Amino acid sequence: MGIANQEAVKQFQKLMEEVDEPLKNTFENVHQGYPNETLMRFLKARDMNVGKAHKMLLDCLQWRIESEIDNILAKPIIPNDLYRAVRDSQLVGLSGYSKKGLPVIAVGVGQSTFDKASVNYYVQSHIQMNEYRDRVVLPSATKKYGQYIGTCVKVLDMTGLRLSALNQIKLLTVVSTIDDLNYPEKTDTYYIVNVPYIFSACWKVVKPLLQERTRRKIQVLQGSGKDELLKIMDYSSLPHFCRKEGSGSSRHSDNGHTNNCFSFDHPFHQELYNFVKQQASLRESIAPLKQGSFHVNFPETDPERADIAKTIESEFQKFGNQNQNGLAKSLSGLRVNGAS
């Protein structure tokens, strides 16, 4: 850490000493014993501006209190069938660890449908995985590898990306805004694999809109990305959709659900779900467990992210119109050929 960065952290520390006790308490759940590293994350997210980083962190802590985020790991999505439905339509999981010890988070962007439950359940599930990552997975990795590990790598599978993804843009914007404002700088690198043409067309337009800090983190790999990813992780940690060229599916693997980190039957999701149920049972003696989604205050989307969402929507619509025009011409040609 450079001298300027150290000075910024010291200034930030002094400001945090003045906050109210409830904010300090929830901050402990955020930093997990590494307050300086956490302050640095918020500083990076605000280009090392101490005042802006301080406001960002206070807003985050206030959001945590208002939405009871400290208790979200004691709020299981029940019954089991509902959680299984969420897992089948919100494809995300932990496939392993990189050679440096960073958790490898796999995300099935193209085949996530988000159509089996209400928006609140998907947001609850997303935040639970964030909190489980920060409170359980990363501290365990830090202990195992003997060094502080505070970030992960994400592998995004674009298999099956279609125009219907337009229906999910609002939900994805909500989720990404929650991450940007409350879990900044938690991803070291985004690897994008199995890229269809529709993504490539959108990427050319969206890439210039992203901040340089974000652009540097994103790598679009060729095909399944297997060869490149094996440089940073072992085969056992490779997401199932990267293991075989042309496998063409985020949902299934030829070795069954145990290797599919999206599946409810995968060890990661079993451990997460059992952990949440155990936490709930500890609290049940105080208050009975209630069914229903955990309602979280949705943050307002910042203008930059709103512009990106509009751009993606516009490009998808252009792509759809081009396809319709091409199909109309083909059908017209068929009719002419049939008449001649």
Side-chain angles (χ1 to χ4, degrees):
M1 189 186 296
I3 295 175
N5 289 351
Q6 289 178 355
E7 184 59 34
V9 170
K10 285 182 181 179
Q11 292 178 29
F12 206 164
Q13 286 173 332
K14 289 180 180 179
L15 291 173
M16 290 304 296
E17 288 172 2
E18 299 172 7
V19 303
D20 296 337
E21 204 63 32
L23 296 181
K24 287 182 180 178
N25 291 337
T26 193
F27 184 50
E28 290 182 6
N29 262 334
V30 174
H31 68 63
Q32 292 293 313
Y34 293 90
N36 289 353
E37 289 81 357
T38 301
L39 295 180
M40 180 54 70
R41 285 198 294 108
F42 280 83
L43 283 166
K44 286 180 179 178
R46 290 297 178 262
D47 298 318
M48 302 306 294
N49 183 305
V50 176
K52 290 181 179 180
H54 180 237
K55 182 182 184 309
M56 182 186 186
L57 180 52
L58 290 185
D59 288 344
C60 164
L61 299 179
Q62 195 61 49
W63 170 78
R64 293 182 66 88
I65 291 172
E66 291 172 357
S67 299
E68 300 183 9
I69 300 300
D70 288 344
N71 298 328
I72 200 169
L73 287 180
K75 301 284 186 179
I77 296 174
I78 51 178
N80 281 21
D81 287 347
L82 176 59
Y83 187 69
R84 185 180 290 276
V86 170
R87 293 277 54 80
D88 286 344
S89 52
Q90 184 184 37
L91 304 181
V92 60
L94 176 71
S95 67
Y97 295 82
S98 75
K99 293 176 182 178
K100 293 182 178 180
L102 276 61
V104 178
I105 307 294
V107 186
V109 177
Q111 294 186 334
S112 290
T113 56
F114 301 102
D115 60 354
K116 307 293 184 187
S118 71
V119 168
N120 286 311
Y121 280 119
Y122 289 116
V123 173
Q124 176 182 348
S125 171
H126 179 81
I127 295 175
Q128 283 181 330
M129 281 189 277
N130 279 354
E131 292 292 315
Y132 187 74
R133 174 198 65 198
D134 293 351
R135 298 193 223 173
V136 179
V137 175
L138 290 172
S140 296
T142 296
K143 185 177 180 180
K144 178 180 178 180
Y145 289 89
Q147 60 182 0
Y148 173 68
I149 295 174
T151 59
C152 63
V153 297
K154 289 186 177 179
V155 184
L156 312 183
D157 181 25
M158 296 295 165
T159 299
L161 188 66
R162 295 180 177 88
L163 293 174
S164 57
L166 277 175
N167 300 328
Q168 303 154 17
I169 283 182
K170 286 186 179 179
L171 171 58
L172 293 175
T173 302
V174 167
V175 166
S176 59
T177 301
I178 287 173
D179 283 356
D180 284 351
L181 296 180
N182 303 291
Y183 304 93
E185 301 295 319
K186 296 299 291 188
T187 302
D188 183 75
T189 310
Y190 296 89
Y191 296 99
I192 302 177
V193 303
N194 297 323
V195 174
Y197 174 76
I198 190 172
F199 172 83
S200 301
C202 286
W203 179 239
K204 289 178 183 178
V205 181
V206 171
K207 186 177 180 180
L209 301 178
L210 300 174
Q211 293 182 2
E212 178 61 27
R213 185 180 69 252
T214 303
R215 282 202 300 270
R216 285 198 301 265
K217 292 182 179 182
I218 299 173
Q219 294 189 32
V220 181
L221 305 183
Q222 189 171 10
S224 69
K226 179 180 175 181
D227 293 341
E228 287 298 314
L229 291 172
L230 285 175
K231 295 176 183 177
I232 65 159
M233 67 184 75
D234 294 330
Y235 185 83
S236 60
S237 293
L238 202 65
H240 58 281
F241 50 80
C242 296
R243 295 189 177 192
K244 195 163 105 178
E245 288 286 352
S247 59
S249 176
S250 286
R251 293 176 181 272
H252 305 292
S253 74
D254 49 13
N255 291 321
H257 287 302
T258 55
N259 283 335
N260 181 345
C261 64
F262 299 150
S263 170
F264 179 39
D265 300 314
H266 188 272
F268 167 71
H269 284 299
Q270 287 293 305
E271 290 167 9
L272 167 57
Y273 196 60
N274 289 334
F275 179 88
V276 174
K277 288 197 293 185
Q278 287 170 4
Q279 295 300 307
S281 66
L282 292 175
R283 293 182 60 85
E284 211 170 356
S285 58
I286 303 172
L289 192 62
K290 296 179 181 179
Q291 286 192 221
S293 60
F294 188 90
H295 288 265
V296 172
N297 294 331
F298 294 169
E300 288 186 18
T301 305
D302 64 272
E304 179 188 357
R305 188 163 292 280
D307 287 343
I308 291 172
K310 286 179 182 177
T311 300
I312 293 173
E313 190 171 359
S314 174
E315 288 303 306
F316 268 59
Q317 287 172 346
K318 285 180 188 176
F319 185 80
N321 291 336
Q322 288 171 1
N323 279 359
Q324 286 177 353
N325 291 338
L327 179 60
K329 288 179 182 177
S330 298
L331 291 175
S332 176
L334 284 173
R335 285 195 293 271
V336 170
N337 290 337
S340 60

